[in-house]
Amino acid sequence: MPTSDFTMASSRTRALSTLVSLIFLALASLWLMQSPIGIYYQQTYHRGYPLAVLEESEIWKSGQRIWAGLNGAVDDASKSLDADSVKLTDNANQKFVLTEDFYERERQAKVEEENQRRAAAELLARRKQEAEASRLADEARLRQERAAQQAQAAAQEAALDERTRALALEAQQRAEEQRRANYLMIAPPSKVFMAGDSLMQGIAPHLLRTLKTQYGIEGVDLSKQSTGLSYPSAFNWPETISRTILKDPGIRLLVIMLGPNDPWDMPDPAIKGGKFLRFKTPEWETVYRQRIAGIIQSNAVHGVSTLWIGAPGMKSSKLDGQMIWLMQIVQDEVEKQGAVFVDTRHLLPGDNAGYSDSIIVDGKSTKMRSGDGVHFSVAGQKYLAQRILDKLHLPPPVSSQ
């Protein structure tokens, strides 16, 4: 037989053998797996399984039993393997992993982790506190520096302000002194007008004599005892002064001294025949101030300056207290109107505030007051006349001209 024919015969034999093997395997699989194949066919095609008639054959059914047995053996082997795996895992956990040491190590690891976390948090908080403390310290230092700078600036400004105020006050004082000097300037042919009560009656002659003999200045004296401003119906000084100045245009200075006859209740000028105003009440003070202001303002209209002489201390404590209150009112109103007030209370008795019969003059005790504790002695009259003269801005004495 040729070689090629033999080869072809061998190929056909192997193919046939393979085919037979496949058919056998298919039939064997169909025989063994008849139950799941039948179920699959019915679920897929929804009709009866064609080989169901073979289930009556014991030989055919034996394949189903063999398949069920194989499946049971496989399930038992799988369960056994699962049980062995669980057992091995439990043993491994007990012996190698999930021991008490493992749990202790886990606890320690957690504690260590918590400690590290807490330490990190504390460190962060401490650093924040330190940063905040540093920030607050820097702010405090800056505030202190600013406060020191502001205090220094304030001190410098206060020094400047104090210097400025001192200079302003000094300039104001000089201006006031110059104003008073100009205000009380008197020279011939100008005349001086003396007005007042019995205290002025004692002073006026001495003052007018000196003005005439030494400075050539003439004067008018209308001082009258028991007069004042409280009872113009008895003697009206505002009207008398105004009328006298109108009659004599040469008058350029009024020297007036009133007060000891005024501390009484007086009639209310607003209500004729009505109630009396009580001494030291606001209503009494208002009327008295109006009369002082009226005299000074009327003088100013006619170019006449006013030098108001205050009452001295009195021996009677009651009258002295009344004069203290009244002279405060007089001084305030006189200066408010721009005139000049001379406080004789501090001239007699010098540095003391009360009453004294005598003061030291040229090293000697000199009696200044009369026995009634109100009026002046001759020495006192001359002393007050000279103090008034010292307030005036006068020309050179006639003897030196």
Side-chain angles (χ1 to χ4, degrees):
M1 172 181 281
T3 301
S4 57
D5 292 337
F6 178 76
T7 302
M8 292 177 62
S10 296
S11 298
R12 282 196 293 272
T13 300
R14 285 197 297 273
L16 182 60
S17 176
T18 300
L19 180 60
V20 171
S21 298
L22 290 172
I23 293 172
F24 177 74
L25 287 173
L27 291 174
S29 298
L30 184 61
W31 177 56
L32 290 172
M33 300 172 65
Q34 55 186 279
S35 179
I37 291 173
I39 293 171
Y40 172 78
Y41 184 88
Q42 292 175 11
Q43 290 178 345
T44 302
Y45 298 104
H46 307 289
R47 57 185 177 211
Y49 183 44
L51 298 179
V53 294
L54 296 177
E55 292 179 358
E56 299 297 330
S57 170
E58 285 297 329
I59 296 174
W60 183 259
K61 290 170 62 176
S62 63
Q64 185 178 4
R65 286 194 294 272
I66 292 172
W67 178 256
L70 290 173
N71 280 336
V74 171
D75 288 341
D76 291 341
S78 177
K79 290 179 181 179
S80 178
L81 288 174
D82 289 340
D84 290 341
S85 175
V86 171
K87 186 176 181 181
L88 288 172
T89 301
D90 290 341
N91 289 336
N93 286 337
Q94 291 296 327
K95 292 181 179 180
F96 303 107
V97 181
L98 303 179
T99 62
E100 187 62 32
D101 291 340
F102 170 79
Y103 289 116
E104 181 63 25
R105 285 195 301 272
E106 273 202 339
R107 282 194 297 272
Q108 291 178 356
K110 289 181 179 179
V111 170
E112 182 65 23
E113 182 181 356
E114 179 63 21
N115 290 339
Q116 290 178 355
R117 185 195 64 76
R118 188 180 295 110
E122 290 175 354
L123 178 61
L124 180 61
R126 188 164 58 252
R127 287 180 177 175
K128 286 183 177 179
Q129 290 176 351
E130 291 173 353
E132 180 66 12
S134 177
R135 183 185 66 80
L136 293 176
D138 289 342
E139 289 182 354
R141 178 178 53 79
L142 289 174
R143 283 196 300 270
Q144 291 176 350
E145 290 178 355
R146 284 196 293 269
Q149 293 172 355
Q150 291 173 353
Q152 183 178 5
Q156 293 174 349
E157 184 176 355
L160 290 174
D161 289 345
E162 185 66 26
R163 177 61 178 164
T164 302
R165 284 194 294 270
L167 291 173
L169 180 60
E170 184 180 348
Q172 183 178 358
Q173 289 174 343
R174 286 198 303 268
E176 178 60 19
E177 290 173 0
Q178 185 62 44
R179 186 193 72 82
R180 286 191 174 205
N182 294 336
Y183 186 76
L184 297 179
M185 182 180 293
I186 188 75
S190 298
K191 296 180 180 181
V192 175
F193 178 13
M194 310 296 293
D197 54 20
S198 56
L199 291 177
M200 180 57 82
Q201 279 184 318
I203 297 172
H206 301 286
L207 181 61
L208 291 178
R209 186 182 305 113
T210 301
L211 287 172
K212 181 174 178 60
T213 59
Q214 295 189 20
Y215 300 96
I217 299 173
E218 298 288 342
V220 177
D221 180 15
L222 292 185
S223 53
K224 183 178 179 61
Q225 67 181 14
S226 301
T227 58
L229 296 179
S230 294
Y231 282 83
S233 59
F235 190 87
N236 193 327
W237 270 116
E239 182 180 319
T240 300
I241 292 170
S242 177
R243 185 173 61 249
T244 302
I245 290 174
L246 285 174
K247 287 182 178 180
D248 193 342
I251 295 174
R252 286 292 172 265
L253 174 65
L254 169 69
V255 181
I256 183 170
M257 187 176 190
L258 296 170
N261 298 308
D262 284 330
W264 318 105
D265 297 348
M266 64 179 173
D268 186 351
I271 305 174
K272 190 173 182 179
K275 66 176 182 178
F276 274 53
L277 302 177
R278 294 184 62 81
F279 179 60
K280 287 189 177 182
T281 61
E283 295 80 9
W284 192 99
E285 178 183 336
T286 298
V287 172
Y288 201 84
R289 281 179 178 271
Q290 289 172 351
R291 290 171 181 173
I292 294 171
I295 292 173
I296 298 173
Q297 291 170 6
S298 176
N299 289 349
V301 169
H302 296 94
V304 177
S305 300
T306 304
L307 179 61
W308 203 293
I309 312 302
M314 300 293 169
K315 190 173 184 178
S316 165
S317 58
K318 179 180 179 181
L319 181 58
D320 191 54
Q322 292 170 335
M323 287 302 98
I324 290 174
W325 182 84
L326 184 57
M327 288 305 107
Q328 290 174 343
I329 302 299
V330 172
Q331 181 175 0
D332 182 70
E333 190 61 37
V334 167
E335 293 178 348
K336 185 183 296 183
Q337 297 298 327
V340 178
F341 179 86
V342 176
D343 181 8
T344 63
R345 187 176 184 83
H346 293 86
L347 294 175
L348 297 168
D351 295 334
N352 296 324
Y355 175 87
S356 176
D357 284 334
S358 303
I359 64 171
I360 303 299
V361 179
D362 297 329
K364 296 180 181 181
S365 177
T366 304
K367 185 175 176 61
M368 292 290 170
R369 310 298 291 271
S370 64
D372 63 3
V374 176
H375 295 87
F376 302 113
S377 66
V378 173
Q381 294 168 354
K382 292 180 179 179
Y383 180 81
L384 262 296
Q386 185 59 49
R387 300 289 81 76
I388 295 170
L389 197 67
D390 292 341
K391 299 293 182 181
L392 304 182
H393 189 190
L394 298 166
V398 174
S399 59
S400 65
Q401 291 179 346

